[in-house]
């Protein structure tokens, strides 16, 4: 079974930090680029960060540059999103996505991040 399971979401105060993780199974993780997306209430799902299959390239949305860092551990089939200096506008459900060449993609179920005092 193809599965992506996110974890690490929590309630955190502005300025705080969290690390999200996404563990994959059921496919060859090292063949997939990985991304984190987020979706806040009333907004479209947006790309937050991406990393290539071997971790050589990273891309970030302008809104999170300098605050978030994506990484992966192919031996653990896991991609991470380290988030710091969190802002209320970072509040969203965060989703993990795996993309292979062509049209193959997989989504996780999401994990809630709430930034509030």
């Amino acid at each position: 079974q193809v599965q992506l399971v996110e974890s690490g979401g929590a309630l955190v105060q502005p300025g705080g930090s969290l690390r999200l993780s996404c563990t994959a199974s059921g496919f060859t993780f090292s063949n997939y680029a990985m991304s984190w997306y987020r979706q806040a209430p009333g907004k479209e799902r947006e790309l937050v960060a991406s990393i290539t299959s071997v971790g050589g390239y990273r891309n970030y949305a302008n809104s999170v540059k300098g605050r978030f860092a994506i990484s992966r551990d192919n031996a653990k089939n896991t991609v991470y999103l380290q988030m710091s200096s969190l802002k209320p506008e970072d509040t969203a459900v965060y989703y993990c996505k795996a993309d292979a060449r062509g049209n193959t993609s997989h989504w996780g179920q999401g994990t809630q991040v709430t930034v509030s005092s």
Side-chain angles (χ1 to χ4, degrees):
Q1 296 181 358
V2 172
Q3 191 171 27
L4 293 171
V5 180
E6 301 98 332
S7 63
L11 172 65
V12 63
Q13 292 186 333
S17 298
L18 284 173
R19 188 179 75 162
L20 307 182
S21 64
C22 171
T23 299
S25 61
F27 63 96
T28 305
F29 181 77
S30 60
N31 289 343
Y32 285 71
M34 300 297 299
S35 299
W36 287 96
Y37 285 72
R38 67 186 182 187
Q39 188 166 24
K43 296 184 178 180
E44 296 183 352
R45 190 172 297 187
E46 64 174 345
L47 177 65
V48 176
S50 298
I51 187 167
T52 52
S53 61
V54 295
Y57 176 78
R58 296 163 171 83
N59 185 61
Y60 300 94
N62 287 335
S63 60
V64 306
K65 284 182 179 178
R67 300 189 298 118
F68 290 11
I70 189 170
S71 62
R72 67 190 295 159
D73 186 342
N74 285 352
K76 295 182 177 180
N77 288 352
T78 300
V79 62
Y80 304 93
L81 185 67
Q82 179 66 51
M83 305 184 293
S84 61
S85 301
L86 284 162
K87 304 174 181 180
E89 51 262 45
D90 295 319
T91 296
V93 177
Y94 283 71
Y95 298 91
C96 176
K97 184 187 180 187
D99 290 281
R101 295 181 183 87
N103 296 115
T104 302
S105 63
H106 307 294
W107 288 90
Q109 294 298 305
T111 186
Q112 177 70 49
V113 173
T114 302
V115 184
S116 177
S117 59

